[in-house]
């Protein structure tokens, strides 16, 4: 295909240039002597003696002023945005009691796994980004890995959620671990069935082991909205994790039950599980630094799409104008090429080209887009409509630290297998993504998938955390919202605006275009414009943003699901 030829040629030529630059840099760095290095890092006594300030007091004042200028602004508030009000309440309770953003995100993640057992939970995994004001961001990849004996028929991978929460708390938490678990235990003992949970129980009863799920299907009938849900087995499992930590899940009773009851899992696979800690991917867009989850997650893709779209003057376009829709749709087509050809677990494959998020490089890709025609589609590159899965949590604490976290079982209800009070993932199905060997399964390896938490930062530090459920639509949805917000639209308006997705040459649009726009899009080459197949198709954005001018914390309620957000001022 033409697009493959463009990609291969560009990749080959730039690869040569980057190789030469790397070689020259290595040679030059080797010319630096130990003496020169010492002089750079440790001033000599002579140098110190020659620095004689004319007025000690003036120097002290200058230093104090510089320190004040360097201090990043922090919001006069703290808040939580999550896919369910109970998760918001759990996170806010932690913040109100002196916990930080990491603590609150952990509490919210456990809480939402109880009230939305179809979307995330301790049988699954996820990915989280965290950044403090004035500090470098960090990424935690605690998604599932291929078991020791390979992928079972169920596509269940070794769950990473529990390890991920433990590792995040170890690295950044301040509150007592037990306090973070208590809200989820209380919810497991008693919680109200939401509209979405009732719908998912109704639609999934043919694929779930309802004979094991009397608490969900009393007398074989799914619980209705507003009913009381008690999950005593899950409450006991959560207590074990609260009291004994990750060992209970990976090395003791819970792990032994998993190994005995779930085909493909054994104690070696569980005890060998490790959380991936990496530098996030970053790239410039509209004067901001966009920070995303590293490969094999599509944070790189979102940044690439934003940069291509910026080169196409997306910031000047009205949201959901024909130009806005077409430029973002084609940027997604280009980004998919990299996902298919290059993405893979960085612990098993060569790192993706660091320059993929270089604005100048993506400006070249932007030139391939025509305003009046579609880019050719790779015949092998198409995805079935994935379930509108996953859940997202964003937290900002009173120090301005931002956590952006996406958790999932992969499909709703994961593999549909249930034990110890929770459902198991089917994340290994995502090894079907890709055309080559970059995303091939082997023990301990993580797959390419669609979860894409983001942080947006200015020169002082993070100003927004954002993410969404929605399967394959996540990257293109986030691109639409971030581009709109960066162009000056209020966050709530950017979240509320209608969304679209490109599936092969078809546009799936949340709201049908008017006749003139429909004709314009069909003239460009889109083969069909249709409605989304389900109500949940376009996810639910959970975002919080810091207004640097007012120090306010801003959020948005996405009405597409049951998401909520809340903030409290620190005054």
């Amino acid at each position: 295909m033409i697009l493959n030829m463009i990609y291969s040629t560009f990749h080959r030529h730039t690869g040569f240039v980057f190789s030469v630059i790397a070689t020259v840099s290595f040679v030059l760095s080797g010319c630096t002597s130990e003496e020169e290095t010492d002089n750079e890092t440790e001033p000599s006594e002579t140098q110190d003696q020659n620095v004689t300030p004319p007025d000690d007091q003036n120097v002290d004042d200058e230093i104090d002023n510089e320190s004040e200028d360097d201090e990043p602004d922090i919001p006069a508030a703290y808040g939580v945005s999550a896919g369910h009000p109970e998760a918001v309440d759990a996170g806010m309770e932690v913040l109100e009691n002196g916990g930080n953003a990491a603590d609150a995100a952990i509490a919210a993640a456990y809480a939402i796994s109880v009230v939305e057992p179809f979307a995330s939970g301790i049988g699954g995994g996820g990915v989280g980004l965290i950044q403090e004001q004035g500090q470098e961001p960090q990424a935690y990849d605690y998604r599932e890995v291929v078991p020791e004996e390979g992928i079972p028929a169920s596509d269940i991978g070794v769950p990473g959620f529990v390890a991920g929460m433990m590792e995040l708390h170890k690295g950044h938490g301040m509150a007592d671990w037990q306090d973070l678990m208590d809200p989820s235990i209380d919810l497991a003992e008693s919680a109200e069935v939401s509209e979405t949970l009732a719908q998912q129980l109704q639609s999934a009863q043919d694929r779930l082991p309802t004979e094991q799920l009397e608490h969900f299907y009393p007398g074989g009938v799914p619980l209705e909205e507003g009913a009381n849900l008690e999950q005593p087995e899950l409450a006991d499992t959560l207590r074990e994790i609260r009291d004994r930590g990750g060992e209970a899940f990976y090395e003791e009773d819970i792990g032994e039950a998993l190994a005995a009851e779930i085909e493909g899992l054994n104690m070696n696979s569980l005890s060998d599980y490790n959380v991936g800690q990496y530098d996030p991917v970053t790239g410039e867009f509209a004067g901001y630094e966009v920070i995303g989850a590293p490969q094999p997650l599509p944070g790189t893709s979102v940044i690439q799409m934003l940069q291509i779209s910026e080169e196409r003057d997306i910031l000047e376009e009205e949201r959901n104008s024909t130009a806005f829709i077409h430029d973002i749709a084609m940027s997604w087509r280009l980004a998919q090429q990299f996902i298919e050809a290059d993405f893979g677990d960085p612990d098993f494959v060569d790192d993706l080209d660091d320059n993929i998020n270089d604005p100048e490089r993506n400006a070249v890709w932007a030139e391939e887009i025509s305003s009046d025609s579609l880019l050719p589609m790779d015949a092998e590159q198409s995805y079935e409509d994935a379930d509108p899965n996953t859940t997202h949590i964003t937290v900002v604490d009173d120090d301005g630290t931002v956590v952006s976290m996406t958790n999932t079982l992969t499909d709703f209800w994961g593999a549909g297998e249930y034990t110890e009070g929770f459902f198991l993932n089917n994340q290994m199905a995502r090894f079907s993504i890709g055309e080559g060997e970059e995303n091939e399964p082997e023990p301990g390896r993580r797959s390419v998938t669609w979860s894409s938490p983001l942080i947006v930062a200015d020169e002082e530090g993070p100003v927004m955390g954002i993410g969404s459920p929605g399967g394959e639509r996540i990257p293109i949805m986030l691109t639409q919202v971030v581009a709109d917000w960066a162009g000056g639209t209020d966050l709530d308006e950017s979240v509320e605006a209608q969304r679209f997705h490109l599936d092969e040459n078809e546009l799936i649009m949340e709201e049908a275009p008017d006749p003139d726009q429909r004709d314009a899009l069909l003239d460009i080459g889109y083969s069909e414009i249709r409605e989304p197949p389900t109500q949940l198709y376009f996810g639910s954005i959970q975002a919080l943003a810091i207004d640097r001018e007012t120090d306010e914390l801003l959020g948005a309620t996405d009405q597409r699901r049951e998401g909520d957000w809340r903030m409290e001022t620190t005054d």
Side-chain angles (χ1 to χ4, degrees), residues 11 278 295 342 344-354 438:
H11 192 276
Y278 309 102
Q295 70 158 322
D342 290 333
D345 188 329
D347 290 337
F348 289 81
V349 301
D350 292 337
D351 287 343
L352 188 63
D353 186 351
D354 290 339
E438 302 300 294

Side-chain angles (χ1 to χ4, degrees), residues 68-75 131-136 287-289 399-400 456-463 546-549 551:
E68 291 175 5
D69 291 341
D70 290 342
E71 291 255 340
D73 288 336
I74 60 174
Q131 185 180 20
E132 301 174 12
Q133 295 292 331
Q135 303 297 318
E136 294 298 316
Y288 294 100
E289 181 181 47
D399 287 326
V456 180
D458 61 14
E459 66 278 0
E460 297 181 21
V463 293
I546 299 168
D547 188 321
R548 289 289 192 209
E549 293 183 1
D551 290 339

Side-chain angles (χ1 to χ4, degrees), residues 143-468:
R143 292 178 307 114
E144 305 87 333
V145 301
V146 178
E148 180 183 53
E149 297 177 0
I151 298 177
S154 62
D155 284 326
I156 293 173
V158 181
F161 178 89
V162 173
M165 297 303 99
M166 295 292 297
E167 200 66 30
L168 182 61
H169 185 258
K170 178 182 176 182
H172 299 277
M174 293 173 53
D176 289 340
W177 176 254
Q178 290 78 7
D179 293 339
L180 307 185
M181 296 293 300
D182 284 341
S184 61
I185 294 170
D186 291 342
L187 289 169
E189 291 175 338
S190 179
E192 183 177 307
V193 175
S194 69
E195 179 184 5
T196 304
L197 175 55
Q199 291 171 347
Q200 294 308 312
L201 288 170
Q202 176 72 39
S203 63
Q205 55 187 326
D206 292 338
R207 61 179 289 255
L208 294 181
T210 54
E211 68 281 358
Q212 293 180 255
L213 306 173
E214 179 67 20
H215 53 300
F216 288 123
Y217 296 93
V221 179
L223 290 173
E224 295 183 353
E225 179 184 358
N228 185 58
L229 171 61
E230 298 178 359
Q231 303 178 72
E233 189 176 16
L234 177 58
D236 288 341
T237 294
L238 292 170
R239 285 191 192 94
E240 289 192 54
I241 296 170
R242 177 194 65 185
D243 297 339
R244 300 209 304 277
E247 290 80 3
F249 190 90
Y250 294 97
E251 299 177 12
E252 298 175 0
D253 294 351
I254 303 171
E256 290 171 359
L258 287 171
E261 299 175 27
I262 303 300
E263 181 184 359
L265 298 183
N266 59 35
M267 292 306 293
N268 285 340
S269 294
L270 290 163
S271 62
D272 287 345
Y273 183 87
N274 288 305
V275 175
Q277 295 189 44
Y278 309 102
D279 292 331
V281 293
T282 62
E284 298 174 9
F285 170 72
Y288 294 100
E289 181 181 47
V290 181
I291 300 154
Q295 70 158 322
L297 294 154
T300 291
S301 302
V302 177
I303 296 169
Q304 186 180 30
M305 292 165 68
L306 287 168
Q307 290 180 344
I308 291 172
S309 299
E310 183 176 18
E311 185 66 22
R312 299 279 303 169
D313 294 326
I314 198 75
L315 296 174
E316 308 301 321
E317 300 294 344
E318 183 180 347
R319 176 70 177 267
N320 286 334
S321 63
T322 299
F324 186 98
I325 292 170
H326 178 58
D327 286 341
I328 286 184
M330 291 300 96
S331 72
W332 170 233
R333 173 151 292 172
L334 288 167
Q336 282 181 301
Q337 186 75 20
F338 286 89
I339 294 171
E340 286 285 318
D342 290 333
F343 278 31
D345 188 329
D347 290 337
F348 289 81
V349 301
D350 292 337
D351 287 343
L352 188 63
D353 186 351
D354 290 339
N355 291 278
I356 194 171
N357 294 143
D358 175 34
E360 293 185 6
R361 180 173 180 179
N362 284 318
V364 176
W365 283 106
E367 291 176 1
E368 302 301 325
I369 299 174
S370 168
S371 297
D372 54 12
S373 64
L374 301 187
L375 287 168
M377 182 183 65
D378 188 330
E380 298 180 5
Q381 178 186 299
S382 63
Y383 310 117
E384 296 179 2
D385 283 341
D387 284 347
N389 45 29
T390 75
T391 195
H392 186 84
I393 296 162
T394 298
V395 181
V396 178
D397 65 23
D398 57 8
D399 287 326
T401 299
V402 175
V403 172
S404 184
M405 171 189 289
T406 306
N407 299 322
T408 186
L409 293 175
T410 306
D411 290 342
F412 276 171
W413 306 106
E417 296 195 26
Y418 178 88
T419 189
E420 301 299 298
F422 58 89
F423 292 89
L424 277 300
N425 68 86
N426 65 327
Q427 174 68 200
M428 302 297 94
R430 292 294 187 258
F431 279 105
S432 63
I433 299 171
E435 299 172 350
E437 300 179 354
E438 302 300 294
N439 192 38
E440 290 294 319
E442 56 185 299
R445 189 164 176 169
R446 294 179 173 87
S447 70
V448 173
T449 192
W450 308 113
S451 297
S452 188
L454 296 177
I455 291 175
V456 180
D458 61 14
E459 66 278 0
E460 297 181 21
V463 293
M464 183 168 70
I466 187 171
S468 178

